Amino acid sequence: MATDTQSAAEASGPGMPQLDFSTWGNQIFWLVITLVVIYLILSRVALPRIASVLAERQGTITNDIAAAEDLKAKAQEAEAAYDKALIDARAEAGRIVAETKAGIQADLDKAIATADTKIAAKAAEGEKVIAEIRAGALDNVKVVAKDTAKEIVAAMGGKADAKSITAAVTARMKG
Amino acid sequence: MASEAQGAETGGLEFHPMDQFNIESLFGGPIAWYTPTNAALWMGLAILAVIGLMVLTTTKRSVVPSRGQSVAELAYGFVYKMVEDVSGKDGVVYFPYIMTLFMFIVCANFLGLIPMSFTTTSHFAVTVVLAMAVFLTVTVLGFVKNGTKFLGLFWVSSAPLALRPILAIIEVISYFVRPVSHSIRLAGNVMAGHAVIKVFAGFAAIAVVSPIAIAGIVAMYALEILVSFIQAYVFTILTCVYLKDALHPSH
């Protein structure tokens, strides 16, 4: 067997099985079958499937990017709305503060005015009372002075009528 | 094999680097055109490899691909982009044919790297059929699509008038050399690499040089992995270039 193959190889030249044309028909036959089968597998099953997967992925990516852009726009809108709301709220707060301040000020002014009038009334009343008391005190002084003067005059042994004593006391008190 | 047994018996160095390319009938007997041979077996395994790589990995059709599906998509995208870039938009119609060539060559090349396997693409019978299929298809396509304008491919209108006939002869010769170079490039590269590995393996029988021989085998094997892919790529891209010439023959 060994010598057979060797001699066969020697007979067919430098011993390249590639150049043994008796096997070409066999190889070509099987090669054509193989290529047809691979072609059918690829063109009927594998390639359409992979193409659809790639197309689907491309679609998904495109959709996702569009959705992401939408969401980004929405987020920016929300941010703008938030900023606006913040500014509005600040303005509102300022307004409320000013209003409250003004209200308090008005109340305060009113209260102060009321207190002032009350104080004034009380002061006037007090002054009146003081005046009355002062007047009362003057009268009392007059009475006391007259009585005293009468007693002194009596003690001195003199006799004086009430009229002259009153006139004298009044003149002295003015003096 | 018989010849290897003889080598072992005599004890000397016996190199049979080409024995791995022998076509043998699987069940014995003479080889007729329909006989199942080792070539037929490994072509069938190439079909299974294509099914495994392109069909079984993509059954889920996931939008986020698994590893296997990524490989299938990568192969698809690689060849599709090549056809589109080299042959142009109107070449995309022929993408399934080119994909068939690429997948067969790449699977056969890599299956051939399995130890004790048979490399179908190392045979001129295979590569000549592939190259002639491309050559004839492209030539017929050129005439069908462009009519006699296809002959403009040989008439370099940008060259000086006096030079054109000479250039036309050169162009015609180069055109008809295409299938020869196309087929021999592939089979030659694959065959040479495998034969060199076998020669290194023969030297490994001598204890002194066997580490070097084994290192050589490893290095050649790495190179062969590269060659397996590159030759499939080169065959495919040249097919695309020839297709471009057929679709757009003007220089």
Side-chain angles (χ1 to χ4, degrees):
Chain A
M1 182 64 189
T3 47
D4 285 352
T5 46
Q6 236 176 6
S7 59
E10 275 159 15
S12 65
M16 273 177 72
Q18 281 86 347
L19 297 179
D20 179 5
F21 290 97
S22 66
T23 61
W24 276 46
N26 179 279
Q27 290 191 70
I28 290 167
F29 168 68
W30 290 109
L31 175 66
V32 169
I33 289 178
T34 306
L35 289 179
V36 168
V37 170
I38 291 178
Y39 173 74
L40 289 178
I41 290 165
L42 287 180
S43 64
R44 295 286 153 84
V45 185
L47 298 184
R49 189 186 281 174
I50 294 171
S52 77
V53 168
L54 291 179
E56 194 188 334
R57 179 171 311 142
Q58 195 56 49
T60 309
I61 289 170
T62 314
N63 285 347
D64 283 0
I65 287 172
E69 267 165 14
D70 269 11
L71 289 176
K72 199 182 167 195
K74 270 184 193 159
Q76 276 168 348
E77 258 170 40
E79 201 194 341
Y82 167 78
D83 282 348
K84 196 172 165 293
L86 202 65
I87 290 164
D88 283 358
R90 275 212 187 107
E92 181 72 11
R95 201 177 56 72
I96 287 169
V97 165
E99 232 169 51
T100 314
K101 220 181 237 172
I104 289 169
Q105 192 63 50
D107 282 356
L108 198 63
D109 287 351
K110 218 201 276 172
I112 288 172
T114 324
D116 278 354
T117 47
K118 272 184 187 165
I119 289 166
K122 281 262 171 77
E125 217 169 85
E127 262 167 26
K128 215 167 85 188
V129 171
I130 289 168
E132 269 170 18
I133 290 169
R134 189 177 283 165
L138 263 176
D139 283 353
N140 288 344
V141 165
K142 255 183 206 164
V143 170
V144 167
K146 274 180 208 164
D147 286 352
T148 312
K150 207 193 275 180
E151 291 298 317
I152 290 171
V153 169
M156 295 282 281
K159 198 163 170 305
D161 61 326
K163 219 178 210 167
S164 55
I165 289 173
T166 309
V169 168
T170 313
R172 268 295 200 215
M173 278 179 72
K174 273 181 188 162
Chain B
M1 272 191 284
S3 47
E4 280 167 14
Q6 187 199 36
E9 278 163 21
T10 52
L13 273 180
E14 286 281 340
F15 295 113
H16 300 286
M18 306 309 277
D19 279 2
Q20 57 178 324
F21 303 120
N22 279 337
I23 305 274
E24 282 152 5
S25 178
L26 285 180
F27 309 110
I31 295 167
W33 60 270
Y34 53 83
T35 317
T37 54
N38 49 358
L41 171 70
W42 286 95
M43 283 178 194
L45 290 174
I47 295 175
L48 291 182
V50 171
I51 291 173
L53 198 62
M54 303 299 288
V55 178
L56 299 185
T57 52
T58 56
T59 44
K60 280 191 195 161
R61 300 162 180 263
S62 14
V63 173
V64 179
S66 61
R67 285 186 218 174
Q69 194 182 321
S70 303
V71 172
E73 283 170 12
L74 220 60
Y76 180 98
F78 177 69
V79 178
Y80 191 90
K81 202 170 172 334
M82 197 196 300
V83 175
E84 199 178 28
D85 288 352
V86 178
S87 306
K89 290 274 178 201
D90 42 357
V92 166
V93 188
Y94 308 100
F95 164 64
Y97 302 100
I98 292 167
M99 189 71 183
T100 303
L101 288 178
F102 177 76
M103 287 314 292
F104 171 70
I105 295 170
V106 91
C107 287
N109 280 354
F110 276 101
L111 284 174
L113 285 178
I114 298 170
M116 309 303 291
S117 71
F118 177 82
T119 320
T120 49
T121 40
S122 67
H123 271 265
F124 293 128
V126 170
T127 57
V128 163
V129 168
L130 294 174
M132 284 309 291
V134 170
F135 177 76
L136 293 176
T137 310
V138 159
T139 308
V140 170
L141 203 67
F143 279 111
V144 169
K145 288 263 173 185
N146 305 293
T148 48
K149 276 187 196 163
F150 182 60
L151 294 173
L153 186 64
F154 308 113
W155 196 252
V156 188
S157 48
S158 57
L161 192 61
L163 276 177
R164 283 183 204 170
I166 304 163
L167 283 175
I169 294 168
I170 295 171
E171 288 283 334
V172 168
I173 292 170
S174 79
Y175 188 81
F176 284 98
V177 166
R178 275 177 181 184
V180 179
S181 64
H182 206 188
S183 59
I184 290 181
R185 182 182 301 110
L186 175 59
N189 269 289
V190 174
M191 179 180 68
H194 284 61
V196 168
I197 288 180
K198 262 291 196 282
V199 169
F200 273 121
F203 275 116
I206 306 172
V208 183
V209 292
S210 63
I212 301 167
I214 288 167
I217 291 172
V218 171
M220 277 310 295
Y221 197 89
L223 191 67
E224 278 303 283
I225 290 171
L226 212 65
V227 166
S228 290
F229 182 77
I230 288 172
Q231 285 310 315
Y233 172 69
V234 165
F235 194 96
T236 316
I237 203 161
L238 282 175
T239 307
C240 292
V241 169
Y242 299 161
L243 186 63
K244 188 209 76 181
D245 283 346
L247 297 174
H248 316 283
S250 51
H251 273 274

